[in-house]
Amino acid sequence: MDSVRYDREGSGQRIPLALKILIAGGFGAGKTTLVSALSEVRPLQTEEVLTGAGIGTDDLAGVEQKSTTTVAMDFGRITINEDLQVYLFGTPGQDRFWFLWDELAFGALGAVVLADTRRLADCFPSIDYFEQRGIPFVVGVNCFDGARRFSLESVRDALDLDPDVPLVLCDVRDRQSGKLVLISLVEHVARQRGEPVPVA
């Protein structure tokens, strides 16, 4: 695919190709933090403070220190070169906001599903969503400070992942670690499409 487009006005101005990647996972898994760490521009965030209205709806077990939640999406941008930009869309993690997912997923290259081993079951809905729609995804196990560590094989078994779905450890606070997760996704998409895997 030619990654260079030109505007319709005939001025010859190059318009970069935009690739869309979703960042998904359960409540408190680190989606907003990952988008913030990766974005070259100040990310757009729709964070709201958790209030008493969420009692009985928002399960804070394991993430008791969390005080905000994403109510629509997070958005960030990465420029690869003058012809290619990556747009990152962080999805809301709570089920009451899942009606937004179809809009966010439209046209996506693929997705990163963040897993928190303290609340591993929370990423099942994201995995099911992408599997049912045939959207390629990788799972990034976010290594929270103080959280018990499990082998990737144990996590893969617990999530019942297909063998070809990449599973990687990451620290979403670290830009380089986040980049490696995105590279894993791009390589996975290339393999699925039978295209040459990009060389880093």
Side-chain angles (χ1 to χ4, degrees):
M1 175 191 292
D2 186 359
S3 63
V4 180
R5 298 178 298 166
Y6 296 89
D7 71 356
R8 296 180 181 175
E9 310 266 322
S11 68
Q13 182 179 359
R14 296 156 72 100
I15 301 173
L17 178 68
L19 299 179
K20 182 180 188 180
I21 291 177
L22 300 184
I23 310 296
F27 178 58
K31 301 178 293 297
T32 298
T33 302
L34 180 59
V35 172
S36 297
L38 289 170
S39 181
E40 68 191 18
V41 298
R42 183 177 179 180
L44 168 68
Q45 298 176 344
T46 57
E47 291 278 292
E48 293 294 339
V49 176
L50 291 169
T51 67
I55 295 174
T57 301
D58 299 327
D59 179 9
L60 296 177
V63 289
E64 290 83 1
Q65 302 305 313
K66 187 168 175 59
S67 61
T68 61
T69 186
T70 299
V71 296
M73 67 174 184
D74 299 310
F75 173 79
R77 187 187 74 206
I78 305 170
T79 298
I80 306 300
N81 55 45
E82 64 180 5
D83 297 324
L84 180 61
Q85 292 183 342
V86 176
Y87 293 149
L88 304 171
F89 288 83
T91 64
Q94 294 146 291
D95 55 4
R96 68 180 184 273
F97 299 122
W98 284 348
F99 66 92
L100 298 167
W101 279 44
D102 286 342
E103 289 293 328
L104 292 175
F106 182 77
L109 175 74
V112 172
V113 176
L114 290 178
D116 177 355
T117 57
R118 301 168 302 177
R119 300 161 55 102
L120 199 57
D122 286 4
C123 67
F124 280 127
S126 300
I127 291 172
D128 290 344
Y129 181 90
F130 298 125
E131 284 181 342
Q132 290 169 9
R133 287 158 181 80
I135 298 174
F137 68 95
V138 301
V139 176
V141 180
N142 191 7
C143 299
F144 285 90
D145 293 338
R148 182 179 173 189
R149 298 291 194 261
F150 296 89
S151 69
L152 288 178
E153 292 78 12
S154 297
V155 175
R156 181 177 293 278
D157 289 344
L159 295 177
D160 194 25
L161 289 178
D162 288 340
D164 66 325
V165 174
L167 178 66
V168 295
L169 296 174
C170 63
D171 180 343
V172 299
R173 301 167 298 183
D174 181 73
R175 183 178 177 86
Q176 187 59 33
S177 180
K179 283 183 178 179
L180 293 176
V181 176
L182 294 187
I183 290 170
S184 176
L185 174 62
V186 171
E187 291 176 345
H188 178 50
V189 171
R191 282 192 296 268
Q192 283 201 336
R193 295 181 175 183
E195 299 174 355
V197 175
V199 178

